[in-house]
Amino acid sequence: MSKANLLSGMQPSADSLHLGNYLGALNNWVAMQEEFNAYYMIADLHAITVPQDPKQLLANTRRTAAQYIAAGIDPNKSTLFIQSQVPAHAQLAWVLNCITGFGEASRMTQFKDKSQKADSDSASVGLFTYPVLQAADILLYQPKKVPVGEDQRQHLELTRDLAMRFNSRFGETFTIPEAHILKETAKIYDLQNPTAKMSKSNEPKGTINIMDDSSVTVKKIKGSVTDTDSEIRFDAENKAGVSNLLGIYSAVSGKSVKDLEAAFAGKGYGDLKTEVADAVIAVIEPIRQRATELLENTDELDSLLASGSARANELAEATLASVYDKIGLIPRS
Ligand code: ATP
Ligand code: LTN
């Protein structure tokens, strides 16, 4: 039996992915590429919905791709590609824009959050239709599953609504995708503000970056916020910092939080931080090294990405052709 399709992506919006991106998303993508015919993309067209420095965007796109591969996305097993190299994304997004209600798009909470951060004049129309482009990304590849974090649930609902609307107006065209929401336990919090999620847009001190030097990572973990008592136990409400360190340790080592609590009985926060730092570095340092090697030869990396994009293009083109045909556009040949 042939494998079901799967698609996911991240924006190249920073020069490094962080530990939350790795444990909450990328690590699962690596596992899922065995069971699914997986498409993993770098959402550069989504990145430009907010202002980007062109040189930085170019560098960040390559750096993101290198980190995907270094973390274990295998370009021979999965189709790894760049969104802007597959024209059908922008083309299908236009068609979907034309069946999306203005009110429907206005209800997207990520747009509301992001546009409030920018002042209202600088929030772009692209940012407004961001979820529609995301729907196009997904629907082109007829995926059964889309592995994303909890924050993407509403975008997946919109994608399903648009797919069902298109199918009922124009005839069966799209597979209705399911969100595969990654477990809450994989949520990693900021080291300085442990009730907020670790994020590219937070202060660097609270974020463990894959591409950071080991010494920087040690410093950040040693300086993480804890509390005034000294007991090492998981209690997210009253001991957010310590609980986050235990959660991180558990995720990178595969040991249960309960076993870790037992192992640290009678020990201090200094011991916990030292061990967490060692365990984190053991996981991210090989990824950083491999990504750095890949980035030394950008020609090779670019050609690998171009061949992934060419492969993605085949399925995307076929879906787009069927869409154009169904809505009554004249075929090109
Ligand atoms: P930004 O801060 O710029 O919004 P981000 O760091 O939150 O970016 P995204 O690019 O939005 O990251 O997310 C990429 C993927 O990583 C998503 O699937 C998301 O759910 C996951 N992810 C992001 N932050 C965390 C986190 N702290 N813990 C677990 N998973 C996370
Ligand atoms: N919006 C997503 C990134 C993204 C995506 C997608 C995820 C763009 N297109 C298609 C899954 C499927 C984010 O910010 N994490």
Side-chain angles (χ1 to χ4, degrees):
M1 216 179 67
S2 68
K3 295 178 181 173
N5 289 357
L6 173 145
L7 175 127
S8 200
M10 286 188 218
Q11 299 182 64
S13 47
D15 63 0
S16 175
L17 298 179
H18 56 71
L19 192 66
N21 298 139
Y22 175 70
L23 295 173
L26 196 50
N27 199 15
N28 288 285
W29 296 2
V30 173
M32 292 179 96
Q33 69 186 341
E34 308 297 335
E35 194 189 332
F36 290 88
N37 178 28
Y39 289 82
Y40 294 123
M41 63 163 210
I42 295 164
D44 55 351
L45 296 177
H46 275 112
I48 61 166
T49 57
V50 296
Q52 297 288 340
D53 173 74
K55 279 206 188 82
Q56 203 64 56
L57 177 63
L58 183 67
N60 289 351
T61 302
R62 289 195 180 112
R63 288 172 75 87
T64 304
Q67 289 171 84
Y68 279 15
I69 298 168
I73 301 292
D74 179 346
N76 294 314
K77 284 188 193 148
S78 301
T79 304
L80 170 62
F81 71 99
I82 309 282
Q83 185 186 31
S84 63
Q85 293 184 351
V86 182
H89 289 251
Q91 292 169 306
L92 180 61
W94 178 254
V95 175
L96 296 178
N97 271 323
C98 297
I99 65 161
T100 306
F102 195 84
E104 191 174 33
S106 309
R107 285 192 290 277
M108 295 293 120
T109 55
Q110 185 177 301
F111 171 71
K112 288 196 240 175
D113 293 347
K114 286 198 182 175
S115 59
Q116 268 161 18
K117 275 188 200 160
D119 59 80
S120 67
D121 265 352
S122 67
S124 69
V125 176
L127 187 63
F128 183 63
T129 85
Y130 177 119
V132 180
L133 177 60
Q134 185 167 348
D137 298 338
I138 296 168
L139 297 178
L140 283 171
Y141 300 93
Q142 313 285 9
K144 191 158 179 270
K145 294 215 164 149
V146 183
V148 283
E150 180 60 42
D151 57 327
Q152 298 297 309
R153 192 185 285 278
Q154 200 189 26
H155 291 168
L156 261 295
E157 277 308 311
L158 176 74
T159 304
R160 289 166 59 85
D161 288 347
L162 293 176
M164 289 188 256
R165 187 173 306 156
F166 190 97
N167 285 353
S168 79
R169 273 192 208 168
F170 302 105
E172 278 309 306
T173 309
F174 296 123
T175 303
I176 311 300
E178 260 171 56
H180 177 81
I181 306 279
L182 301 166
K183 281 192 287 201
E184 177 63 22
T185 46
K187 188 159 173 187
I188 307 299
Y189 296 87
D190 189 274
L191 297 178
Q192 290 300 319
N193 178 14
T195 52
K197 72 161 199 160
M198 189 175 282
S199 160
K200 293 181 218 111
S201 29
N202 295 351
E203 286 290 314
K205 259 174 46 185
T207 311
I208 300 174
N209 287 316
I210 307 265
M211 298 302 281
D212 276 349
D213 223 66
S214 294
S215 62
V216 175
T217 303
V218 172
K219 220 164 157 191
K220 286 180 179 176
I221 294 175
K222 294 241 156 120
S224 66
V225 166
T226 49
D227 51 52
T228 50
D229 76 24
S230 59
E231 207 185 339
I232 299 176
R233 103 188 123 76
F234 193 94
D235 175 350
E237 214 165 293
N238 301 304
K239 296 171 73 70
V242 170
S243 302
N244 187 35
L245 290 175
L246 284 169
I248 291 174
Y249 197 175
S250 167
V252 293
S253 67
K255 296 178 189 159
S256 75
V257 168
K258 222 165 153 234
D259 286 353
L260 291 174
E261 281 175 336
F264 280 105
K267 292 193 184 166
Y269 291 165
D271 302 316
L272 174 65
K273 289 179 175 176
T274 306
E275 284 198 36
V276 171
D278 287 347
V280 166
I281 287 167
V283 168
I284 65 175
E285 181 60 20
I287 302 177
R288 183 178 76 94
Q289 279 179 13
R290 178 81 188 105
T292 306
E293 276 165 30
L294 289 162
L295 287 164
E296 276 161 15
N297 191 340
T298 51
D299 285 351
E300 201 175 304
L301 182 62
D302 287 1
S303 99
L304 201 140
L305 293 169
S307 73
S309 298
R311 215 152 77 209
N313 198 53
E314 287 171 26
L315 178 52
E317 269 294 321
T319 306
L320 183 73
S322 149
V323 166
Y324 275 11
D325 177 55
K326 293 230 167 68
I327 63 176
L329 306 184
I330 294 184
R332 265 188 292 185
S333 58

